[in-house]
Amino acid sequence: MTTSARPLVLLDVDGVLNPFRRPSSRFARHECVVDGCSYQVLLDVRHGEELLSLSEDTGAELVWATTWEENANEEIGPLIGLPRMPVIKVMAGAGAARGEHFKTGPVAEYVRGRPFVWFDDELSPADWEYLTEHPDVGDFLLIEVDPRNGLSGWDIDRAREWLAAAQG
Protein backbone atom coordinates (compact mmCIF):
# COMPACT_ATOMS: atom_id res chain seq x y z
CA MET A 1 0.00 0.00 0.00
CA THR A 2 1.21 3.49 -0.82
CA THR A 3 1.01 6.40 1.59
CA SER A 4 1.82 9.48 -0.50
CA ALA A 5 -0.91 11.61 -2.04
CA ARG A 6 1.28 12.52 -5.02
CA PRO A 7 -0.04 11.52 -8.44
CA LEU A 8 1.70 8.62 -10.15
CA VAL A 9 3.27 8.05 -13.55
CA LEU A 10 3.35 4.30 -14.23
CA LEU A 11 5.96 3.19 -16.71
CA ASP A 12 6.32 0.04 -18.79
CA VAL A 13 9.60 -0.90 -20.48
CA ASP A 14 9.07 -3.12 -23.55
CA GLY A 15 7.19 -1.28 -26.27
CA VAL A 16 7.39 2.00 -24.29
CA LEU A 17 11.03 2.75 -23.45
CA ASN A 18 12.29 -0.19 -25.54
CA PRO A 19 10.43 0.02 -28.88
CA PHE A 20 10.11 -3.01 -31.13
CA ARG A 21 12.16 -1.34 -33.86
CA ARG A 22 14.74 1.45 -33.91
CA PRO A 23 12.60 4.51 -34.73
CA SER A 24 15.61 6.88 -34.91
CA SER A 25 19.34 7.06 -34.40
CA ARG A 26 18.72 8.51 -30.91
CA PHE A 27 18.09 4.94 -29.70
CA ALA A 28 21.20 3.06 -28.63
CA ARG A 29 21.38 -0.72 -28.38
CA HIS A 30 22.22 -2.13 -24.95
CA GLU A 31 22.62 -5.61 -23.56
CA CYS A 32 20.84 -6.30 -20.26
CA VAL A 33 21.24 -9.49 -18.27
CA VAL A 34 18.31 -10.70 -16.17
CA ASP A 35 18.46 -14.00 -14.31
CA GLY A 36 21.38 -15.09 -16.48
CA CYS A 37 19.57 -14.34 -19.75
CA SER A 38 20.82 -11.65 -22.10
CA TYR A 39 18.34 -9.19 -23.66
CA GLN A 40 18.99 -6.60 -26.34
CA VAL A 41 17.13 -3.33 -25.72
CA LEU A 42 16.89 -0.06 -27.61
CA LEU A 43 16.88 2.96 -25.30
CA ASP A 44 16.89 6.74 -25.78
CA VAL A 45 18.61 8.57 -22.91
CA ARG A 46 16.32 11.56 -23.56
CA HIS A 47 13.40 9.53 -22.20
CA GLY A 48 14.98 9.67 -18.76
CA GLU A 49 15.35 13.44 -18.96
CA GLU A 50 11.78 13.87 -20.23
CA LEU A 51 10.30 11.64 -17.53
CA LEU A 52 12.26 13.37 -14.76
CA SER A 53 11.07 16.73 -16.08
CA LEU A 54 7.48 15.44 -16.16
CA SER A 55 7.82 14.28 -12.55
CA GLU A 56 9.37 17.54 -11.36
CA ASP A 57 6.92 19.78 -13.23
CA THR A 58 3.80 17.93 -12.03
CA GLY A 59 4.88 16.59 -8.64
CA ALA A 60 4.16 13.06 -9.86
CA GLU A 61 6.02 10.01 -8.60
CA LEU A 62 7.55 7.74 -11.25
CA VAL A 63 6.79 4.03 -10.70
CA TRP A 64 7.75 0.96 -12.72
CA ALA A 65 4.77 -1.10 -13.98
CA THR A 66 6.65 -3.64 -16.08
CA THR A 67 7.41 -7.33 -16.22
CA TRP A 68 11.03 -6.28 -15.67
CA GLU A 69 9.90 -5.46 -12.11
CA GLU A 70 12.97 -4.72 -9.90
CA ASN A 71 15.26 -5.48 -12.84
CA ALA A 72 14.08 -2.19 -14.36
CA ASN A 73 15.89 -0.40 -11.52
CA GLU A 74 19.03 -2.45 -12.12
CA GLU A 75 19.17 -2.60 -15.91
CA ILE A 76 16.98 0.07 -17.54
CA GLY A 77 16.86 3.10 -15.22
CA PRO A 78 20.64 3.60 -15.00
CA LEU A 79 20.98 3.51 -18.80
CA ILE A 80 18.59 6.44 -19.26
CA GLY A 81 19.36 8.39 -16.09
CA LEU A 82 16.41 7.44 -13.91
CA PRO A 83 16.84 6.99 -10.16
CA ARG A 84 15.64 3.92 -8.26
CA MET A 85 11.86 3.95 -8.40
CA PRO A 86 9.09 2.02 -6.68
CA VAL A 87 8.03 -1.16 -8.48
CA ILE A 88 4.54 -2.58 -8.88
CA LYS A 89 4.78 -6.38 -8.60
CA VAL A 90 2.80 -7.01 -11.77
CA MET A 91 3.87 -10.64 -12.09
CA ALA A 92 2.09 -11.43 -8.81
CA GLY A 93 -1.30 -10.69 -10.37
CA ALA A 94 -4.03 -13.29 -10.54
CA GLY A 95 -4.38 -12.90 -14.28
CA ALA A 96 -7.02 -11.28 -16.41
CA ALA A 97 -10.62 -12.15 -15.61
CA ARG A 98 -12.45 -10.15 -18.28
CA GLY A 99 -9.90 -9.42 -20.97
CA GLU A 100 -7.90 -6.81 -19.09
CA HIS A 101 -4.11 -6.96 -19.12
CA PHE A 102 -2.59 -9.14 -16.37
CA LYS A 103 -0.87 -6.02 -14.96
CA THR A 104 -4.14 -4.14 -14.46
CA GLY A 105 -5.18 -5.87 -11.21
CA PRO A 106 -1.84 -5.21 -9.48
CA VAL A 107 -1.93 -1.60 -10.74
CA ALA A 108 -5.43 -1.11 -9.31
CA GLU A 109 -4.28 -2.45 -5.93
CA TYR A 110 -1.17 -0.25 -5.91
CA VAL A 111 -2.68 3.15 -6.75
CA ARG A 112 -5.10 3.30 -3.77
CA GLY A 113 -7.09 6.27 -5.03
CA ARG A 114 -4.13 8.33 -6.23
CA PRO A 115 -4.49 9.90 -9.68
CA PHE A 116 -2.23 8.26 -12.22
CA VAL A 117 -1.06 8.18 -15.81
CA TRP A 118 -0.08 4.79 -17.17
CA PHE A 119 2.25 4.47 -20.17
CA ASP A 120 1.92 0.99 -21.68
CA ASP A 121 1.70 -0.50 -25.16
CA GLU A 122 -0.87 -3.21 -24.38
CA LEU A 123 -3.81 -1.33 -22.89
CA SER A 124 -7.36 -1.80 -24.13
CA PRO A 125 -10.92 -0.79 -23.34
CA ALA A 126 -11.07 -3.79 -20.96
CA ASP A 127 -8.35 -2.17 -18.82
CA TRP A 128 -10.20 1.15 -18.75
CA GLU A 129 -13.41 -0.66 -17.73
CA TYR A 130 -11.68 -2.68 -15.01
CA LEU A 131 -10.00 0.39 -13.54
CA THR A 132 -13.18 2.48 -13.74
CA GLU A 133 -15.12 -0.15 -11.81
CA HIS A 134 -12.41 -0.88 -9.20
CA PRO A 135 -13.29 0.72 -5.82
CA ASP A 136 -9.70 1.76 -4.98
CA VAL A 137 -9.04 3.55 -8.27
CA GLY A 138 -9.61 7.28 -8.66
CA ASP A 139 -8.85 9.46 -11.68
CA PHE A 140 -6.51 8.04 -14.31
CA LEU A 141 -5.30 8.43 -17.85
CA LEU A 142 -4.21 5.44 -19.91
CA ILE A 143 -1.74 6.28 -22.67
CA GLU A 144 -1.32 3.44 -25.13
CA VAL A 145 2.15 3.92 -26.57
CA ASP A 146 2.88 2.81 -30.13
CA PRO A 147 5.27 -0.14 -29.56
CA ARG A 148 6.98 0.34 -32.92
CA ASN A 149 8.21 3.82 -31.98
CA GLY A 150 8.07 3.86 -28.19
CA LEU A 151 7.30 6.78 -25.91
CA SER A 152 6.85 10.03 -27.83
CA GLY A 153 6.96 13.68 -26.90
CA TRP A 154 3.25 13.78 -27.66
CA ASP A 155 2.63 11.02 -25.08
CA ILE A 156 4.57 12.95 -22.44
CA ASP A 157 2.82 16.23 -23.31
CA ARG A 158 -0.55 14.51 -22.96
CA ALA A 159 0.45 13.20 -19.52
CA ARG A 160 1.73 16.62 -18.45
CA GLU A 161 -1.52 18.33 -19.49
CA TRP A 162 -3.67 15.73 -17.76
CA LEU A 163 -1.63 15.83 -14.53
CA ALA A 164 -1.76 19.63 -14.47
CA ALA A 165 -5.56 19.56 -14.92
CA ALA A 166 -5.94 16.81 -12.29
CA GLN A 167 -4.16 19.00 -9.74
CA GLY A 168 -6.61 21.83 -10.23
Side-chain angles (χ1 to χ4, degrees), residues 3-37:
T3 57
S4 172
R6 292 173 60 195
L8 302 167
V9 173
L10 310 182
L11 192 58
D12 185 26
V13 171
D14 295 320
V16 175
L17 296 178
N18 174 32
F20 296 156
R21 66 178 180 89
R22 180 181 248 151
S24 77
S25 61
R26 294 183 330 214
F27 285 81
R29 188 173 306 281
H30 300 273
E31 181 177 347
C32 297
V33 178
V34 176
D35 297 329
C37 295

Side-chain angles (χ1 to χ4, degrees), residues 36-71:
C37 295
S38 178
Y39 298 93
Q40 296 290 316
V41 295
L42 294 168
L43 299 172
D44 181 350
V45 70
R46 287 193 271 183
H47 281 149
E49 298 164 3
E50 292 169 341
L51 290 163
L52 288 172
S53 176
L54 174 64
S55 173
E56 290 169 13
D57 294 349
T58 63
E61 179 180 11
L62 297 172
V63 177
W64 293 114
T66 173
T67 57
W68 285 75
E69 291 191 341
E70 195 59 49
N71 293 304

Side-chain angles (χ1 to χ4, degrees), residues 17-142:
L17 296 178
N18 174 32
F20 296 156
R21 66 178 180 89
R22 180 181 248 151
S24 77
S25 61
R26 294 183 330 214
F27 285 81
R29 188 173 306 281
H30 300 273
E31 181 177 347
C32 297
V33 178
V34 176
D35 297 329
C37 295
S38 178
Y39 298 93
Q40 296 290 316
V41 295
L42 294 168
L43 299 172
D44 181 350
V45 70
R46 287 193 271 183
H47 281 149
E49 298 164 3
E50 292 169 341
L51 290 163
L52 288 172
S53 176
L54 174 64
S55 173
E56 290 169 13
D57 294 349
T58 63
E61 179 180 11
L62 297 172
V63 177
W64 293 114
T66 173
T67 57
W68 285 75
E69 291 191 341
E70 195 59 49
N71 293 304
N73 276 322
E74 304 299 327
E75 299 289 335
I76 304 299
L79 294 171
I80 60 172
L82 290 176
R84 286 192 80 73
M85 301 177 345
V87 175
I88 299 174
K89 302 294 185 191
V90 296
M91 300 302 284
R98 300 178 304 171
E100 72 276 3
H101 195 283
F102 70 88
K103 294 184 213 173
T104 304
V107 162
E109 295 300 320
Y110 184 88
V111 298
R112 298 285 183 210
R114 294 165 66 181
F116 68 95
V117 172
W118 185 4
F119 293 115
D120 203 296
D121 64 308
E122 295 186 288
L123 299 171
S124 72
D127 300 296
W128 184 88
E129 185 177 313
Y130 180 97
L131 293 167
T132 300
E133 295 174 358
H134 197 282
D136 290 332
V137 174
D139 294 333
F140 63 90
L141 174 65
L142 303 180

